[in-house]
Amino acid sequence: MRLVQLLRSATAALICQILRFPRLSYSVNRVLMLAPALHQRLFRLAQESGIDTGLVRRAHPEEAFQPGNTRRRYLTRRGREIAADLLAASQVEGRRNTP
Amino acid sequence: MSFTKAVVRNRGEHDVFLALNGLLADSVMPIRREFAGILPSDRIRVWHAPGPVSECLAGNDERRLAAELLREDFLRSLQPDVIHISSLFEGYVDNAVTSIGAHDSTTAVTVSFFDLIPLLHRAQYLDPHPLYERFYTRKLSLIPRASKCLSISAFSANDGRKHLQLPADRFVNVSTAVDTKFRPIEIEPDTKRYTLGRLGIERPFVLYTGGADERKNIAKLVFAYAKLPEELRSKHQLILVGKLPAVETRAIEGAAASAGLTTDEIRLCGYVDDDQLIRLYNLCELFVMPSLYEGFGLPVLEAMRCGAPVIASNSSSLPEVLGCEEALFDPENTDAIRDKMAAVLTSGQFRARLVAHGKRHAARFSWDHTARSALDLWETLPRPKPHFHTSSAVHAELLINRLSRCLTFSGRESAAGLAACLAQNQISGMERQLLIDVSGVMERDSPSAEHRFVVACVREILHHPPAGLRAEPVYAVDGGDYMYAERFAVSSSGVADVSGADRPIRWQRGDVFLGLSTEYDLQVESAELYRRLRDDGVVVRFCVYDLSAVELSEQYEHYDDCHIQRRWLSIVTSCDGAIVLTKTSADVFRNWLDKPPHPVDHRFTITHLRPSVDKPTPARASAPDVQGADLVRVLASRPSFATVSNLEPHRGQAQILDAFELLWSEGFEANLVFIGKPGLGVEELAERIQGNPQLGRRLFWFCDVDDALLDTVYRSSACAVAASLSDGCGLSVLEAASRGLPLILRDIPVYREVAGDHAQYFTGAHGSVIATVVKKWMDRSATSTCPKPYDIALLDEQEFVEGLQARVLGAAFRPRQLLVDVSELVRTDAGAGIQRVVRSILQNWRLYPPEGLRVETVYASQGDIYRYAKHFGSPGARAHKHWQQKGDPIEYAPGDVFLGLDFQPVLVASNRDFFRQMRVQGVEVRFIVYDMLQARMPEYFPAGASTAFMQWLEVVGESDGAVCISESVANEFDAWLRESHEDRSEGFDTQWFHLGADINEPLSDSSMAPPNSPIEKGIDGRKRFLMVGTIEPRKGHTIVLDAFEILWAAGATVELHIVGKQGWLVEALARRIRGHSEFGEKLFWHSRVEDHELEAAYRDATCLIAASEGEGFGLPIVEAARHGLPVIARDIPIFREIAGTCAHYFDVDCPEALAERVRSWICLFEQSRHPRVEGVELLTWRESASQLERALNIARPYPSTRLETVPSRKV
């Protein structure tokens, strides 16, 4: 029992340390998301250890809030113009970042 | 909230906008309700960004950065002088977004500054939470970008200066306050017993409220309390109020136990609401605040306001808030805390002193005081500097590029999400474009008077753009499109040139297109673009300088220029208006429009603005052929007469040349200077000039002039001559006058209007006329008695632009939309009553649109969103039965009104979220309620129909209001709302109006065949009773048929004519009618009747029977009244409302009694004593549409439609 307690404390401390480095925590989190059960366990452990539970949940792009339905065919004329501009700009940006 | 309300209350002449985050959509409507009545709804604007963006979630960084850009871009579009962020450190766990200088670095930003608790207590707040530390540090780094930090106390201001190492004046203490509900109150004994009993308070108590963080120092308070003499402790309890996490509760309980306190002596009451808290403040013996660090310490102020004696620690802001030296203690010393508590609990005098001081001192803190301090501070901030012109396209590109850098698009749909937000922000923002057409300037290389006028105006507008408008010079290109004239704009602004190609124009509702310069060919080619602009809500107006094609049509008929100018004018008149520069031109224009055939848009107006004339401009280049000095010498050698305008037949240059040839032949020494390019029809004149022996000696002709040459000519000439037969505005005359040049002018109304008595005039077409006037002028000039131009009233371009803004642009502020739902009518026109209402109201609104509103028909279809049904039902559009064009999705902005005029319950219910979104955005959503029958009598409708109706009714009930078609329906609706949703009934607006019936117009189309009455099938001499309406259970057909069977059995010579289709749940009745022994003899059913046949039926019937048990309006009674047809009606409220005393009523449910009522009516009818329908009030559809407009209250003044309400500063 004490060993379990010890392991939990060590894991919680590790989580806390990882969360000090946002990029590292982001990467670790992405890997953990591949094993949802493990992620869930660690998530609960972090919660129970008093670590802000929001820290270890990754926002999924699908959760994105939008004003109304934003499928392309539902865009207003202005919206379609802006979407085209955004796509063009992102392509230019993509090319610029490609060696 | 309290601070913002106080700012709104104290705003004076300032304009205050609340910019709300659409990611926190649930908070928007409560905030709108809070500010209802104190801030116009359009001053609450909602911006959108893709979410989630909270910083505690990994993976939100890109979206958050995008949200910051979108937010700042939106705020910039409101054109504020100051942006205030009421809480900077938000967005860690929720979707709040705050930033400074992410996209807009020109507008002053202030922030409310509360404290630096996390920074100063790192170990407690930051070290254990790295992500929070990152969030906090990032927000902290924004503070230096703020122009001012509005601190809540002098202490927090000092703390900010000290720890953030910012200039001392960056922090200003505006203090803070608490709600006025914190005050001494009378507490009923029962309430007191209940409040204290619930919390386990049995004795007088010492109160603490607040958190349980380490800095709150609760442990010391507990230990100090434990040190009180037992006698005191036995008479009191220590009450800790506040939401405490379990860990902290355990810690306090542990401290209490180790201090020897029993659970009876200390109570942890947890969270209490404000009402309970106020009671506790009022009831406590003492309030203690032992905190080690506070930014302000609101509980101290709350307790003092409630009349509690308060003692507090002598650290941080608390001495400042408490304001009483003797009430302070050292929070680190439990003995000191104990002593102070004991002093209050044992000394009545000390206690009374603290209470009196508390009340006095607390009165110094008020939200109004804080708000006024903030407003005073904002007034001192510099306004955003007008930076050099950046076109909308360039600005948009900058934002798009920044967004594209911080967003990784996973596909087109992601871009669509962001685009949807940005598009909504743009339409919800306040920025509008003033698209100034400078095509003529861009196309022509030789400046004319018009050219110079346009350039001067554009320069003026760019330097002093009209309020709320972003001036954008644009020009037409081949193919009918327009481009932003970016380089032209930048050079006109006087800054360095920009590189890159010009971009195509973009527009949205509320923009203004001003055709300042004319270029007939290209503008005629752009007619389709102007139509699109107007369709999209852009106001399109043109300046008209030349009306010669109208005024001198006979002389010009054979020139192409004349035709194209007339085509151009016909395009102008199909737009929103023309601006002419003289009253004479306005009269000419109006006269031309009055003569057919000139189709003019009903919105078209002619505005007369006095012309302006540019001041002499600095030289740009020298003349190409004659050098400046030589020209001056030549022109100065003898009197020179200048005529400045393109060579055109109606300009009279040939007559001037005749005159001077005559003068030269007489040995008269004078120069003649023509300035202007040759137009059409002046080939002969051009040859005469070119071949004239005086050319280069006394005669000069400059086709291409620049400003320098023009200036040289004006400076060196003695007089200007204008012989035009027609001139739109006399710009060249004013130009000459502005340079002090005397004028010889043809006596035409325009020149008389412009120059008055300050010119020498001539009439006649012969050269000798001008020659005589020139000689006379020379004589008078020698004696200085010739008219001087100095007294001509000139306006400068600034005045012109001001006039333009006041009279042309002001009225064109972003028009509100009245989005009229025609979903059912678009799908199918069954000719039912509701659809007739929709058609009639729409027709009238198209002819007489509500003031300041654009009526836009919109529709939804299953699985799709609301789209525009542009031109639906308008003259020229295809028949609505075949109207299938798929329109653009609707866009909406604050101030728009959505009206559910059509009845499509399923679609409305499925768009419930969409209506909520519109209301969040500030759109008013209202529905027409035709009846409440399906709610009141669901048994009369097919299974499922009432379910759809009730779902529709729920959507109506959570909208802004309902407009019912009668007072009876309005009463029924209100009753339903009160019964079903008591919470919603307050603030919900229920109105009613009456439907129309055009009494002066036939119901049917006059082009159709003469009406063929279905009733004529009966036998003359019989009394014909008519029932009109779909056969449904509630309509009362059964009882009427029963009654007539009794009448027929008794030998009455009466016919019963039923007009209407078979509806639902009446199969048995239909069989009974068709199989009736009198069917076709005395009983008739006309199930397919056209409008014109119905009209004939009303004409030929004896009486209308309205037997329905429930109706929304009772249109058949109105239609019967229109034809003078008497009415027997069931006695229900709606029929009483419509027919009043003009009908014979029955209130019976048995056929025998009804038969008796019909018999009694026949007796009265035969004696001509029956109730007459002439007293029924009949409305035309126009009156009905006006009633509906009033019921909607849409014509009320709306802040954003009036320029004068836009004050000097916005916060």
Side-chain angles (χ1 to χ4, degrees):
Chain A
M1 199 62 188
R2 283 193 63 189
L3 181 67
V4 172
Q5 198 63 37
L6 204 65
L7 277 173
R8 284 173 65 91
S9 304
T11 312
L14 184 63
I15 291 172
C16 209
Q17 287 305 311
I18 289 172
L19 288 176
R20 282 179 174 277
F21 307 95
R23 282 182 185 281
L24 175 64
S25 71
Y26 178 74
S27 309
V28 170
N29 211 28
R30 286 188 71 174
V31 174
L32 286 174
M33 292 291 262
L34 299 173
L38 175 63
H39 182 268
Q40 196 61 33
R41 273 174 169 274
L42 291 170
F43 176 73
R44 204 174 305 130
L45 172 67
Q47 252 187 334
E48 288 165 3
S49 306
I51 299 172
D52 191 329
T53 53
L55 309 186
V56 286
R57 191 166 71 86
R58 187 183 192 287
H60 196 274
E62 292 302 313
E63 294 174 21
F65 168 85
Q66 310 288 3
N69 202 323
T70 54
R71 284 151 68 181
R72 278 184 63 76
R73 68 195 184 96
Y74 294 151
L75 287 178
T76 60
R77 176 184 59 77
R78 187 71 159 184
R80 290 196 299 274
E81 289 171 356
I82 294 168
D85 289 348
L86 278 168
L87 283 170
S90 69
Q91 281 160 8
V92 170
E93 191 65 22
R95 279 199 296 275
R96 195 175 294 154
N97 291 336
T98 307
Chain B
M1 184 72 84
S2 300
F3 171 66
T4 312
K5 277 186 172 177
V7 169
V8 169
R9 274 199 306 275
N10 291 280
R11 66 187 185 275
E13 292 298 308
H14 298 296
D15 203 0
V16 177
F17 278 82
L18 304 189
L20 307 182
N21 180 348
L23 287 163
L24 306 171
D26 289 346
S27 65
V28 175
M29 290 313 290
I31 291 174
R32 284 193 181 282
R33 278 194 288 275
E34 282 285 334
F35 284 87
I38 58 171
L39 189 67
S41 65
D42 99 306
R43 292 302 190 251
I44 301 175
R45 304 258 167 168
V46 182
W47 59 271
H48 291 279
V53 296
S54 59
E55 273 200 68
C56 71
L57 298 178
N60 281 347
D61 289 359
E62 291 168 343
R63 267 195 299 277
R64 188 177 54 257
L65 288 175
E68 288 174 359
L69 292 173
L70 289 170
R71 172 185 163 278
E72 289 198 16
D73 184 61
F74 177 79
L75 294 180
R76 185 197 54 79
S77 81
L78 299 178
Q79 299 163 344
D81 295 307
V82 185
I83 295 168
H84 180 72
I85 301 172
S86 56
S87 188
L88 181 66
F89 292 85
E90 299 289 345
Y92 181 63
V93 292
D94 58 20
N95 286 318
V97 180
T98 59
S99 63
I100 304 173
H103 183 59
D104 174 19
S105 54
T106 56
T107 314
V109 179
T110 61
V111 296
S112 288
F113 183 75
F114 299 97
D115 55 56
L116 290 170
I117 290 168
L119 182 70
L120 302 179
H121 301 79
R122 295 190 65 94
Q124 197 181 340
Y125 296 98
L126 299 182
D127 293 345
H129 307 293
L131 267 187
Y132 182 75
E133 183 189 11
R134 190 186 74 157
F135 160 83
Y136 186 79
T137 310
R138 202 172 73 84
K139 294 290 181 188
L140 211 56
S141 71
L142 299 179
I143 290 182
R145 296 186 197 172
S147 302
K148 296 283 177 190
C149 297
L150 278 59
S151 305
I152 57 170
S153 65
F155 171 79
S156 74
N158 284 334
D159 239 16
R161 289 176 198 123
K162 185 171 145 193
H163 297 289
L164 298 179
Q165 291 162 353
L166 290 171
D169 65 350
R170 189 70 63 88
F171 293 85
V172 179
N173 174 27
V174 296
S175 192
T176 188
V178 294
D179 201 290
T180 49
K181 67 184 176 185
F182 289 93
R183 61 189 164 80
I185 51 169
E186 289 292 325
I187 303 171
E188 297 289 324
D190 287 348
T191 313
K192 179 180 174 182
R193 216 171 13 255
Y194 173 77
T195 304
L196 300 181
R198 259 187 88 237
L199 300 172
I201 304 173
E202 293 147 359
R203 303 191 291 275
F205 58 96
V206 175
L207 180 68
Y208 163 81
T209 181
D213 310 9
E214 216 173 296
R215 70 183 167 89
K216 293 288 185 180
N217 202 27
I218 294 181
K220 288 263 169 53
L221 171 64
V222 170
F223 281 109
Y225 187 81
K227 286 183 174 179
L228 280 174
E230 193 172 347
E231 187 194 349
L232 274 180
R233 276 194 286 125
S234 64
K235 289 181 186 168
H236 295 88
Q237 284 178 298
L238 176 61
I239 303 299
L240 306 181
V241 167
K243 195 176 178 182
L244 303 178
V247 180
E248 279 153 354
T249 304
R250 279 197 298 274
I252 295 171
E253 284 169 349
S258 64
L261 289 176
T262 64
T263 52
D264 173 58
E265 288 174 304
I266 178 168
R267 291 249 191 255
L268 276 66
C269 298
Y271 171 79
V272 298
D273 63 27
D274 278 359
D275 290 341
Q276 286 191 75
L277 184 60
I278 291 165
R279 285 198 283 272
L280 291 177
Y281 281 138
N282 273 270
L283 293 169
C284 70
E285 287 292 301
L286 169 66
F287 181 84
V288 187
M289 175 59 89
S291 180
L292 299 169
Y293 185 97
E294 292 290 330
F296 183 81
L298 280 178
V300 169
L301 185 57
E302 289 171 355
M304 285 197 296
R305 280 189 62 99
C306 289
V310 180
I311 58 171
S313 77
N314 62 5
S315 69
S316 65
S317 60
L318 292 171
E320 176 188 343
V321 178
L322 191 53
C324 178
E325 188 68 32
E326 62 176 334
L328 300 175
F329 54 77
D330 176 3
E332 301 287 1
N333 186 337
T334 51
D335 290 343
I337 303 174
R338 178 203 58 193
D339 292 347
K340 199 61 77 177
M341 282 195 290
V344 180
L345 294 175
T346 55
S347 166
Q349 277 187 340
F350 185 31
R351 188 173 182 281
R353 224 169 33 246
L354 289 182
V355 170
H357 164 79
K359 286 182 181 172
R360 202 169 49 246
H361 189 66
R364 296 182 185 178
F365 300 88
S366 78
W367 284 120
D368 285 330
H369 173 260
T370 300
R372 281 194 291 271
S373 301
L375 284 160
D376 288 346
L377 175 72
W378 290 330
E379 280 174 0
T380 64
L381 294 175
R383 289 187 173 202
K385 286 179 190 160
H387 44 91
F388 70 86
H389 180 87
T390 314
S391 82
S392 298
V394 172
H395 189 86
E397 194 173 294
L398 196 66
L399 179 65
I400 294 286
N401 286 340
R402 284 182 176 171
L403 286 171
S404 72
R405 265 178 232 137
C406 64
L407 273 188
T408 312
F409 294 112
S410 57
R412 300 171 75 85
E413 293 300 329
S414 302
L418 186 55
C421 292
L422 193 46
Q424 184 61 63
N425 291 350
Q426 287 180 355
I427 195 72
S428 298
M430 296 287 281
E431 190 166 76
R432 301 180 311 138
Q433 294 181 104
L434 170 59
L435 301 163
I436 311 166
D437 190 348
V438 294
S439 302
V441 176
M442 298 292 283
E443 277 296 310
R444 283 180 229 132
D445 48 2
S446 60
S448 60
E450 179 193 319
H451 178 117
R452 290 184 287 277
F453 170 73
V454 170
V455 169
C457 284
V458 171
R459 194 184 303 130
E460 177 61 26
I461 293 173
L462 286 174
H463 281 96
H464 303 98
L469 287 167
R470 184 187 184 87
E472 298 283 2
V474 299
Y475 63 98
V477 292
D478 289 334
D481 291 327
Y482 266 81
M483 309 289 280
Y484 286 109
E486 286 163 32
R487 275 168 292 185
F488 172 83
V490 169
S491 63
S492 297
S493 304
V495 298
D497 204 351
V498 291
S499 56
D502 288 341
R503 298 159 176 81
I505 63 163
R506 299 240 171 121
W507 62 88
Q508 64 180 3
R509 177 161 57 101
D511 289 349
V512 179
F513 178 94
L514 178 64
L516 192 60
S517 118
T518 44
E519 182 57 45
Y520 296 131
D521 291 326
L522 287 171
Q523 287 173 335
V524 166
E525 209 179 323
S526 302
E528 174 59 19
L529 180 83
Y530 305 139
R531 193 192 61 73
R532 280 170 50 207
L533 287 172
R534 298 188 73 231
D535 269 359
D536 289 335
V538 178
V539 174
V540 180
R541 291 174 197 269
F542 286 88
C543 286
V544 177
Y545 304 102
D546 189 358
L547 287 163
S548 54
V550 171
E551 216 173 356
L552 308 169
S553 55
E554 286 173 15
Q555 291 100 310
Y556 260 92
E557 201 58 55
H558 53 286
Y559 293 122
D560 286 348
D561 256 15
C562 176
H563 296 296
I564 195 139
Q565 197 188 97
R566 282 203 206 137
R567 276 182 65 196
W568 181 81
L569 281 172
S570 68
I571 290 168
V572 169
T573 54
S574 68
C575 295
D576 294 281
I579 298 153
V580 291
L581 303 183
T582 57
K583 185 176 175 303
T584 310
S585 311
D587 293 340
V588 170
F589 205 173
R590 284 194 190 99
N591 289 339
W592 180 67
L593 290 177
D594 287 343
K595 290 178 200 157
H598 296 122
V600 179
D601 189 276
H602 66 274
R603 283 172 279 184
F604 183 77
T605 56
I606 297 173
T607 309
H608 158 221
L609 287 175
R610 275 299 308 273
S612 71
V613 178
D614 186 23
K615 296 176 186 72
T617 48
R620 274 207 320 251
S622 58
D625 45 0
V626 182
Q627 294 303 312
D630 292 340
L631 184 65
V632 170
R633 186 178 49 76
V634 171
L635 294 183
S637 63
R638 57 183 78 90
S640 297
F641 292 80
T643 176
V644 182
S645 69
N646 285 347
L647 269 58
E648 291 167 358
H650 73 282
R651 296 285 178 191
Q653 285 104 341
Q655 189 185 353
I656 296 172
L657 184 58
D658 288 347
F660 275 81
E661 281 177 338
L662 200 63
L663 289 168
W664 290 328
S665 68
E666 291 174 6
F668 196 85
E669 280 296 317
N671 291 325
L672 175 61
V673 186
F674 287 119
I675 292 180
K677 287 174 81 170
L680 291 173
V682 291
E683 295 78 7
E684 194 184 326
L685 173 63
E687 279 174 25
R688 270 184 68 195
I689 297 172
Q690 297 287 9
N692 198 301
Q694 297 291 348
L695 187 66
R697 293 171 55 215
R698 293 187 176 87
L699 174 63
F700 302 91
W701 181 22
F702 301 109
C703 292
D704 296 313
V705 289
D706 58 13
D707 291 346
L709 176 59
L710 184 70
D711 199 42
T712 302
V713 171
Y714 274 133
R715 273 193 288 111
S716 314
S717 298
C719 182
V721 184
S724 283
L725 298 167
S726 158
D727 197 325
C729 50
L731 271 180
S732 56
V733 168
L734 280 166
E735 196 172 60
S738 73
R739 272 128 170 129
L741 225 57
L743 304 167
I744 295 177
L745 307 174
R746 185 184 296 281
D747 196 355
I748 59 173
V750 171
Y751 291 158
R752 278 281 176 189
E753 182 185 339
V754 168
D757 295 332
H758 310 294
Q760 184 89 40
Y761 291 97
F762 65 89
T763 52
H766 200 269
S768 60
V769 176
I770 298 178
T772 307
V773 172
V774 169
K775 279 193 271 187
K776 196 187 291 177
W777 182 87
M778 288 294 288
D779 292 343
R780 293 179 69 181
S781 175
T783 57
S784 295
T785 55
C786 63
K788 300 286 191 305
Y790 306 116
D791 296 328
I792 292 177
L794 300 171
L795 290 178
D796 63 15
E797 59 273 12
Q798 189 183 342
E799 284 179 67
F800 176 80
V801 171
E802 281 169 6
L804 201 65
Q805 171 164 341
R807 296 180 54 193
V808 180
L809 305 176
F813 233 82
R814 177 169 290 162
R816 299 159 65 198
Q817 289 182 117
L818 175 57
L819 300 159
V820 183
D821 187 0
V822 292
S823 296
E824 181 64 14
L825 197 59
V826 160
R827 201 171 63 85
T828 171
D829 186 358
I834 290 179
Q835 288 161 341
R836 279 164 65 185
V837 174
V838 175
R839 267 190 281 128
S840 304
I841 296 285
L842 266 181
Q843 273 171 14
N844 276 278
W845 274 348
R846 288 207 185 284
L847 288 172
Y848 313 102
E851 201 181 335
L853 284 162
R854 283 173 60 82
V855 177
E856 296 278 11
T857 44
V858 301
Y859 73 102
S861 48
Q862 206 61 47
D864 198 4
I865 55 169
Y866 269 97
R867 293 177 181 275
Y868 284 113
K870 292 263 183 195
H871 309 299
F872 173 77
S874 60
R878 287 180 292 170
H880 47 256
K881 281 183 184 172
H882 309 290
W883 197 91
Q884 291 296 330
Q885 188 185 342
K886 195 164 187 174
D888 263 337
I890 62 169
E891 56 180 22
Y892 47 85
D896 289 346
V897 179
F898 177 95
L899 176 64
L901 182 61
D902 214 342
F903 181 64
Q904 232 304 352
V906 177
L907 285 175
V908 167
S910 66
N911 277 289
R912 191 173 192 158
D913 286 342
F914 175 70
F915 295 125
R916 284 178 182 156
Q917 272 173 31
M918 281 208 289
R919 295 188 67 224
V920 160
Q921 209 60 36
V923 177
E924 277 184 32
V925 178
R926 291 168 190 266
F927 291 90
I928 302 290
V929 179
Y930 289 93
D931 60 59
M932 294 292 289
L933 301 172
Q934 295 182 60
R936 281 179 53 228
M937 37 184 81
E939 67 277 11
Y940 285 159
F941 293 88
S946 294
T947 311
F949 180 84
M950 292 313 292
Q951 286 173 348
W952 173 82
L953 209 52
E954 288 293 327
V955 178
V956 176
E958 67 177 30
S959 70
D960 294 285
V963 186
C964 305
I965 60 167
S966 63
E967 193 176 4
S968 306
V969 175
N971 292 337
E972 289 167 9
F973 181 86
D974 274 345
W976 170 82
L977 196 64
R978 274 197 306 275
E979 220 169 84
S980 315
H981 303 285
E982 199 182 344
D983 56 321
R984 284 190 212 158
S985 57
E986 196 179 335
F988 188 90
D989 186 26
T990 309
Q991 299 284 344
W992 59 270
F993 75 114
H994 275 174
L995 301 182
D998 283 335
I999 40 179
N1000 296 324
E1001 293 172 24
L1003 278 170
S1004 58
D1005 186 341
S1006 57
S1007 64
M1008 300 187 79
N1012 181 21
S1013 173
I1015 297 184
E1016 283 177 359
K1017 289 170 188 167
I1019 298 168
D1020 283 341
R1022 288 181 182 174
K1023 296 197 171 43
R1024 296 158 182 168
F1025 289 83
L1026 186 65
M1027 292 185 79
V1028 178
T1030 312
I1031 300 180
E1032 299 170 29
R1034 71 183 158 96
K1035 295 281 189 177
H1037 289 90
T1038 304
I1039 190 174
V1040 173
L1041 184 54
D1042 291 345
F1044 271 72
E1045 281 176 348
I1046 294 168
L1047 290 170
W1048 289 326
T1053 53
V1054 291
E1055 290 178 6
L1056 178 60
H1057 292 263
I1058 297 169
V1059 175
K1061 291 178 196 164
Q1062 181 178 334
W1064 49 86
L1065 306 177
V1066 289
E1067 290 74 15
L1069 177 63
R1071 278 198 301 277
R1072 182 181 163 197
I1073 294 171
R1074 289 202 185 92
H1076 202 282
S1077 57
E1078 297 289 357
F1079 188 65
E1081 296 296 325
K1082 293 176 183 168
L1083 173 64
F1084 302 91
W1085 181 8
H1086 316 285
S1087 59
R1088 290 178 186 279
V1089 172
E1090 298 289 335
D1091 279 357
H1092 63 286
E1093 292 173 322
L1094 177 61
E1095 193 178 4
Y1098 278 122
R1099 188 193 59 209
D1100 295 333
T1102 313
C1103 178
L1104 175 85
I1105 299 184
S1108 185
E1109 292 176 40
E1111 287 290 338
F1113 185 67
L1115 201 56
I1117 293 182
V1118 173
E1119 288 174 346
R1122 196 181 133 183
H1123 290 84
L1125 184 66
V1127 175
I1128 297 175
R1130 190 187 286 272
D1131 197 356
I1132 57 174
I1134 180 59
F1135 290 160
R1136 282 279 178 187
E1137 182 183 338
I1138 302 297
T1141 56
C1142 303
H1144 189 73
Y1145 290 99
F1146 67 92
D1147 186 15
V1148 292
D1149 281 325
C1150 75
E1152 290 79 9
L1154 177 56
E1156 193 46 48
R1157 291 297 290 164
V1158 173
R1159 263 197 217 103
S1160 70
W1161 180 84
I1162 291 171
C1163 285
L1164 290 170
F1165 177 73
E1166 286 174 344
Q1167 295 165 26
S1168 282
R1169 288 170 50 218
H1170 63 285
R1172 309 294 171 138
V1173 290
E1174 281 72 21
V1176 173
E1177 190 188 355
L1178 298 175
L1179 294 181
T1180 62
W1181 277 113
R1182 186 178 175 187
E1183 289 166 333
S1184 175
S1186 298
Q1187 266 196 5
L1188 174 56
E1189 196 182 318
R1190 283 196 295 277
L1192 286 170
N1193 198 18
I1194 45 185
R1196 68 191 176 285
Y1198 198 72
S1200 63
T1201 60
R1202 295 181 305 173
L1203 266 181
E1204 62 269 22
T1205 62
V1206 179
S1208 54
R1209 292 179 80 82
K1210 289 186 202 159
V1211 180

